[in-house]
Structures are given as structure tokens and as C-alpha cells.
Amino acid sequence: MELFDFFRWDIIWNYRELYLKGIWATIVLTLSGYLGGVFFGLFLGLGQVSKKKWIYWPCKIYVDVFRGTPMLVQLLLIHLAVIPTIFGQSMGWWVSGIVGLILNSAAYNAEIFRAGIQSIDKGQMEAARSLGLTHTQAMRKVILPQAFRRMIPPLGNEFIALLKDSSLVTVIAGAEILYVSKVVAGTYQRFWEPYLFAAFLYLVLTYLVTKLIAVVEKRVSIDYNPRKKKGRAET
Amino acid sequence: MIKVENLHKHFGKLEVLKGIDYEINEKEVVCVIGPSGSGKSTFLRCLNLLEEVTDGAIYIEGVKINDPKTNINDIRTEVGMVFQQFNLFPHMTVLDNIMMAPMQVRKLKKADAEKLALDLLDKVGLRAKADNFPQQLSGGQQQRVAIARALAMKPKIMLFDEPTSALDPEMVNEVLDVMKDLAKEGMTMVVVTHEMGFAREVGDRVLFMDGGYIVEEGHPDDVFGNPQNERTKAFLGKVLK
């Protein structure tokens, strides 16, 4: 085959160790960005449904700013301006990259949490409050468990989006998949092999994540089905 | 037991309650009737502050509930509420629906809460459904569970907001029967309803509301048998055949 003669596998093979490091970096960046983003996103989302103005507005502004500006710009600002100003020096691309991904993903996750909470019928909150539960208890026991089920598909989408957006960390010299490909491309002055391979790696990773999300969705939906409790005498 | 003084409620510019004065005694069953938009549901929802009161005062057992210093959660544990749309928690079994508030709020142990819940399910005739999820039950059954859930907090007052309006006709009676039993046991009840038969049979007093006012009130025999106000007459003329 002409195409495969043209395609030089040896380029990829020679750089296999660097690619492995790049894959590892992509996974670590994505996972830590996502987990941090979900954690802070939950609080931002709760803040956005708060009736207290001094909680609502800061959360709302945060989300609007981070969703309304490109992550590329955010990463450059954090890496080159914010962190050096606060710490007096760069903390390296790992720190800047993870911080950037967390801050950005938190804004998107906040919107998912907000929408999920607001999609629950307000009768649920009223029923819980009328039983004497506090707002916090009602959220924890009644609203959030229902909202989480609805949030799983969009939270999964956000995970995939972040996985792909982690490639932006390249601009601050973060040695993830795309960065490695750029190095390879620069060394050999060949572009098909490294970039096509990068695309292939992202495709495999997103495919795996999609499968993972499907499993989670299935497990959570079981809860709505009847189950018999054991250990209670039938009378 | 409940005392309402000059109660006003605005939704923005719309004034829904225009000065309600009323007193409800212990063990009384008061049925609130009236055309839709008359403010009767809003009035009921004010009694446990699901609606913020614009002006006036509501006292429950002498405590002003719309005082900022009053802990509304404490008041609500004494005032059960049943909704038109049941509002059962769909992610919990019937049993968990009933056990949740006693465990969270009253800090009951699980075993005690479970016993309480099963007793209440006996009372509403649904013990067999304890492990089902709400959406597997008929509307009438769901509403009976909702009543059991409210009773689990051992409230002194029960509020019913059109409890049978969302039900198929053949299921109305099973819910009304549970409510009749409650009335017989001496529960203080405020019931917003379109079931005139129930109001007449079970109500100690009937309250006719229209346009944000209490237009007429009295013993059901008087209000239904010999209405004084023109609007009461017109309304009853339409709903009673």
C-alpha cells in the first residue's frame, strides 16, 4: 500500500517513551482538572441557586467570566501573569495547567449543577421543608440525589470536552500528547505521522471515557427499580 | 390554636390576600372552598410559611410564626402538609419517604423510624407497598403515603392543599376516607378542597374565599344550606347540582 509505505511508523516508535509520558500527562491533567472542577463547580452551582445576593453574584460573575473567555487565554494569563505575580516565580506547567483546567472546568460544571438543581420540581423542596428539614438537609437528602442522576450525562460530556481541551496546555509547554507530537514534528519535519497519531490517541481516550460513563449511567439508574429489603419481618 | 390577623400577601404588584382574620381551634376541621384564584391555596401555604407573608401576623399556639426570630423549621415540624401533586420523593422507597424526616429532624433511630413508618402505613392501608417506589403506586396510593409521611412528624395541625384534585375520580374516596379517620381522631385540619360532600360531612366549619377575602364562613349546614352572600350563592350554585 502506497499510503503505508509513505507513513513512517518508526518515527512514532522512536519516540514511544515520550509519547507514553505525554499520555500520562494528558490523563493526569484531565483527571485532576476534572475532579477539582467538579468539586468547586458544585459550590459555584449551589451559589448560583442561592437567594443570598452576596453569594449569588460572585458565583455568577465567576462562571460568566470563565465561560466567556477562551481557555487558551486563561492558561497564558495564569501561567505567565497570575502565578508569577503571586509566588514571585513560575511554578511550572504542571501547576499552571492543573489550576487552569480546574478553574475553567469548575465554571462549566457549575452550570451543570445549577441546571440540574433547578430542573427538580419545586414541590420537592416544599415537601422537604414542610416536614421541618432545613434548606441544607433538603438539598442533601432530597434535591441533590435526584439532580445528580440528571447531571451524569452532561457531566460526562464535560469530562470528554476537558480531555480534549487539555491539549491547550501545550501553549505553556506542558508535555502532554499534543506537545510531544509537536516535538516529533519539529525534529523530523514530518506532520502526518505525529499529528495523526495524536488524534488517534485522543480518540482512544475519549472512547474509553464514553464507555466508562455508560457504565456509571447504568448503575445509577438501577436505584429507581424496586428492591426488597432484607432483614425485616413480614407481618 | 391558629390565629390569623390582617394577613396580606402580594406577589409583586398582585395582591392575593387582602386582609384575612381568622381563628382555628384545636381539633377543628376547617374546609376552605372558593373559585380558583380566590387565594385559598395561598392562605393555606402561608400557615406554614411556604409563602412569605407580606403583612399581618400568624400565630400558632401563641407563637408568631412570621417573626424573623421564630425558627420556622420548629414550627413546620408541628404543621404537616399534604400537596395536590403529592410531592413524594421519587428516589426513595415508600418506607424511606416516611422515615426520612423523623430521622433527619427528630433524630429517631433507624429501627424506631421504621416501626413508626410501618405503623403509619398500616393506618393508611399500604404496608404491602413499603418497599415500592412512589411511581409504582396509583395516585390515590401516593397521596395516602404522602399523608403518612406528614403524620410521621406527629404534627398537631395538618394542612391539605386540594389533596384529591389531581386524582382520578375512583381514587378520591380512598384518600378522603383516610382524612375522615384523621378528623375523627381529633386532628386539627385545614383543608382546601373542591369536595363539597367532604366539606359538608367532615368540616366543623366552612370558609368561603373569593378575591382575596373571606366572604363567608360558618357551620357547613349554614353555608351550604343557607348562604348569605351573593358570591357564595353563585359559587355554590355552580358546584352543587
Side-chain angles (χ1 to χ4, degrees):
Chain A
M1 276 283 287
E2 188 79 9
L3 179 68
F4 287 101
D5 293 342
F6 169 77
F7 202 94
R8 283 183 53 192
W9 293 98
D10 59 301
I11 293 178
I12 310 290
W13 184 248
N14 289 341
Y15 277 84
R16 60 190 179 278
E17 274 176 32
L18 205 54
Y19 267 112
L20 276 175
K21 277 187 186 156
I23 293 168
W24 177 244
T26 293
I27 291 173
V28 172
L29 282 170
T30 307
L31 271 181
S32 35
Y34 186 71
L35 293 177
V38 167
F39 182 76
F40 289 116
L42 174 60
F43 290 101
L44 287 166
L46 286 168
Q48 282 193 102
V49 296
S50 174
K51 279 183 190 147
K52 299 190 182 88
K53 294 253 181 291
W54 61 274
I55 295 178
Y56 169 82
W57 279 109
C59 294
K60 165 90 175 137
I61 290 169
Y62 177 94
V63 169
D64 284 353
V65 166
F66 275 86
R67 292 197 334 146
T69 53
M71 200 198 304
L72 198 52
V73 178
Q74 293 164 15
L75 281 169
L76 290 169
L77 265 176
I78 289 165
H79 185 63
L80 301 172
V82 178
I83 288 186
T85 303
I86 294 174
F87 296 98
Q89 62 180 63
S90 168
M91 307 293 284
W93 63 268
W94 272 114
V95 172
S96 305
I98 289 174
V99 168
L101 290 175
I102 288 176
L103 293 183
N104 184 275
S105 146
Y108 283 91
N109 286 322
E111 280 297 280
I112 294 171
F113 285 114
R114 181 195 58 75
I117 291 165
Q118 287 178 343
S119 76
I120 304 299
D121 183 74
K122 74 176 178 35
Q124 293 287 309
M125 179 54 97
E126 290 185 348
R129 296 305 304 275
S130 78
L131 288 164
L133 271 73
T134 63
H135 183 85
T136 311
Q137 285 174 323
M139 269 291 169
R140 228 183 45 228
K141 285 290 177 183
V142 176
I143 307 297
L144 288 178
Q146 294 182 60
F148 272 129
R149 287 185 173 81
R150 295 187 191 177
M151 290 169 195
I152 285 167
L155 282 176
N157 287 343
E158 175 54 26
F159 189 86
I160 291 170
L162 194 72
L163 175 63
K164 292 184 287 181
D165 285 347
S166 71
S167 60
L168 293 170
V169 178
T170 291
V171 297
I172 56 170
E176 40 65 68
I177 292 173
L178 184 63
Y179 187 85
V180 172
S181 301
K182 257 171 69 178
V183 170
V184 174
T187 310
Y188 286 85
Q189 285 301 304
R190 289 185 68 92
F191 304 101
W192 273 102
E193 291 87 354
Y195 288 121
L196 207 54
F197 189 61
F200 172 75
L201 288 177
Y202 283 113
L203 192 63
V204 170
L205 287 175
T206 51
Y207 177 80
L208 291 176
V209 172
T210 311
K211 287 286 160 206
L212 187 75
I213 294 164
V215 171
V216 173
E217 266 182 61
K218 210 170 179 182
R219 285 191 60 154
V220 174
S221 66
I222 295 171
D223 248 15
Y224 271 28
N225 293 330
R227 70 198 136 115
K228 276 281 172 194
K229 280 189 182 165
K230 292 189 181 78
R232 181 151 45 77
E234 294 290 330
T235 40
Chain B
M1 187 160 216
I2 306 175
K3 194 171 167 199
V4 180
E5 281 175 357
N6 192 31
L7 174 63
H8 288 262
K9 170 66 187 171
H10 297 251
F11 288 109
K13 280 186 180 163
L14 184 71
E15 189 171 17
V16 182
L17 298 177
K18 300 172 182 169
I20 304 275
D21 290 281
Y22 205 68
E23 210 165 322
I24 295 165
N25 300 315
E26 205 176 337
K27 298 193 174 187
E28 244 179 351
V29 178
V30 176
C31 291
V32 187
I33 61 170
S36 52
S38 59
K40 53 192 193 304
S41 279
T42 306
F43 169 57
L44 191 79
R45 290 162 57 84
C46 283
L47 295 182
N48 68 351
L49 290 198
L50 280 185
E51 300 294 350
E52 231 170 281
V53 172
T54 310
D55 197 13
I58 299 172
Y59 299 90
I60 289 181
E61 295 194 300
V63 179
K64 185 178 176 186
I65 65 167
N66 58 327
D67 189 318
K69 275 174 276 182
T70 306
N71 182 348
I72 186 57
N73 295 319
D74 290 344
I75 301 292
R76 282 177 178 147
T77 60
E78 308 293 334
V79 185
M81 176 119 183
V82 175
F83 299 86
Q84 183 177 353
Q85 298 297 339
F86 329 133
N87 294 346
L88 291 177
F89 306 131
H91 58 302
M92 297 181 192
T93 62
V94 164
L95 199 68
D96 289 335
N97 260 277
I98 303 174
M99 288 165 59
M100 192 267 285
M103 286 172 68
Q104 290 292 315
V105 181
R106 297 249 195 257
K107 308 296 176 201
L108 248 62
K109 289 203 190 73
K110 191 162 188 261
D112 297 334
E114 188 168 297
K115 185 178 179 310
L116 171 72
L118 287 169
D119 287 347
L120 284 165
L121 281 174
D122 271 335
K123 190 185 171 99
V124 299
L126 287 171
R127 193 186 181 119
K129 301 286 184 191
D131 292 320
N132 285 83
F133 281 86
Q135 55 272 39
Q136 298 171 311
L137 273 55
S138 73
Q141 291 171 332
Q142 288 191 47
Q143 194 60 299
R144 281 147 65 196
V145 172
I147 294 173
R149 179 177 70 179
L151 290 175
M153 293 300 290
K154 302 200 189 302
K156 294 178 180 146
I157 300 165
M158 283 284 282
L159 308 176
F160 293 85
D161 189 3
E162 303 196 26
T164 59
S165 296
L167 297 177
D168 290 338
E170 77 267 24
M171 292 168 185
V172 168
N173 279 329
E174 62 187 74
V175 172
L176 292 183
D177 286 343
V178 170
M179 292 167 63
K180 280 177 199 168
D181 288 345
L182 263 184
K184 268 184 220 145
E185 288 166 21
M187 177 66 78
T188 309
M189 291 163 63
V190 187
V191 186
V192 172
T193 187
H194 293 292
E195 296 293 328
M196 298 303 152
F198 176 85
R200 200 164 190 163
E201 185 191 332
V202 185
D204 295 306
R205 282 195 285 163
V206 171
L207 212 157
F208 174 71
M209 286 184 68
D210 193 16
Y213 297 101
I214 295 177
V215 174
E216 188 161 353
E217 77 89 28
H219 192 272
D221 288 346
D222 298 329
V223 175
F224 287 111
N226 184 23
Q228 300 299 308
N229 189 288
E230 284 308 317
R231 280 189 281 176
T232 319
K233 283 181 197 168
F235 176 74
L236 291 175
K238 276 180 221 156
V239 296
L240 300 174
K241 277 161 237 156

